[in-house]
Amino acid sequence: MTVFDVLTVVFLVLVGLVVVTGCYLIAYVLVDSARRRRVVRIGERTPARCIHAYYGSSHPSLEPPDRPRRFKRRFVIGFTGPGGDLIRFEDISVPETTREGDELTVAYLPGRPASAVVVTGDEMPGLDETLRILAALCGFLVVMAGIAYVGVVILDGYGSLAADPGSWIEP
């Protein structure tokens, strides 16, 4: 096996891993947004409160005050479930202006209060959001196809140069 063959395999495996990872992440976002829309559309609604808001770590004192915030703000939301027990869950889709103690509306599937999501009032229509995600997927795949094409052209040039008997490159 030549160096050219090894480089080709390594390059194609890396491009393949990036494409598979990107497709997995986009599929995860599609499934999660579909679940969220379903819960908002058919779920039971109830008032809830923001119990805690934080960045990154679960305890605010662990975040240095002078460090820029690199993480999306997370919110712990609590509401009284159908059985009278307190249900807590975390969400990042809560408006950034929300503070601890603010009242929100949540929706959950009947019999599954742990599946709750915050109803923000500006839920995008399902088709619009799905089309945006699919457009992002298409853009990602076009960029990856371009990278793969450039890589194959470079490797082909290397292979041609390595095949030349007068070349300094060893095959």
Side-chain angles (χ1 to χ4, degrees):
M1 185 176 252
T2 65
V3 172
F4 172 71
D5 294 335
V6 171
L7 287 175
T8 302
V9 169
V10 167
F11 175 75
L12 292 176
V13 166
L14 288 176
V15 168
L17 284 173
V18 169
V19 168
V20 167
T21 302
C23 289
Y24 170 78
L25 291 174
I26 289 174
Y28 175 80
V29 168
L30 275 171
V31 169
D32 186 57
S33 68
R35 179 195 67 83
R36 180 176 194 77
R37 283 192 314 271
R38 179 175 180 263
V39 171
V40 168
R41 190 178 69 246
I42 67 171
E44 296 179 21
R45 294 179 185 226
T46 187
R49 287 216 178 273
C50 176
I51 298 172
H52 183 58
Y54 64 93
Y55 289 94
S57 66
S58 61
H59 196 278
S61 65
L62 297 177
E63 291 288 323
D66 58 339
R67 177 186 242 173
R69 303 292 184 198
R70 296 178 299 176
F71 302 104
K72 185 153 178 64
R73 193 164 180 212
R74 302 182 70 87
F75 300 89
V76 178
I77 309 299
F79 67 96
T80 304
D85 51 336
L86 178 65
I87 308 290
R88 291 178 177 212
F89 68 97
E90 282 194 24
D91 202 341
I92 59 172
S93 65
V94 178
E96 285 288 323
T97 57
T98 303
R99 301 288 175 243
E100 291 181 14
D102 285 357
E103 189 169 303
L104 305 162
T105 300
V106 297
Y108 62 91
L109 295 176
R112 295 180 49 203
S115 68
V117 296
V118 174
V119 179
T120 59
D122 61 350
E123 302 293 330
M124 290 168 75
L127 183 60
D128 187 32
E129 184 176 349
T130 302
L131 289 176
R132 287 181 189 195
I133 293 170
L134 289 176
L137 172 64
C138 290
F140 171 76
L141 291 177
V142 165
V143 168
M144 289 312 300
I147 291 171
Y149 176 76
V150 169
V152 167
V153 167
I154 289 171
L155 287 173
D156 185 47
Y158 174 79
S160 300
L161 190 59
D164 184 14
S167 173
W168 57 273
I169 298 176
E170 294 184 25

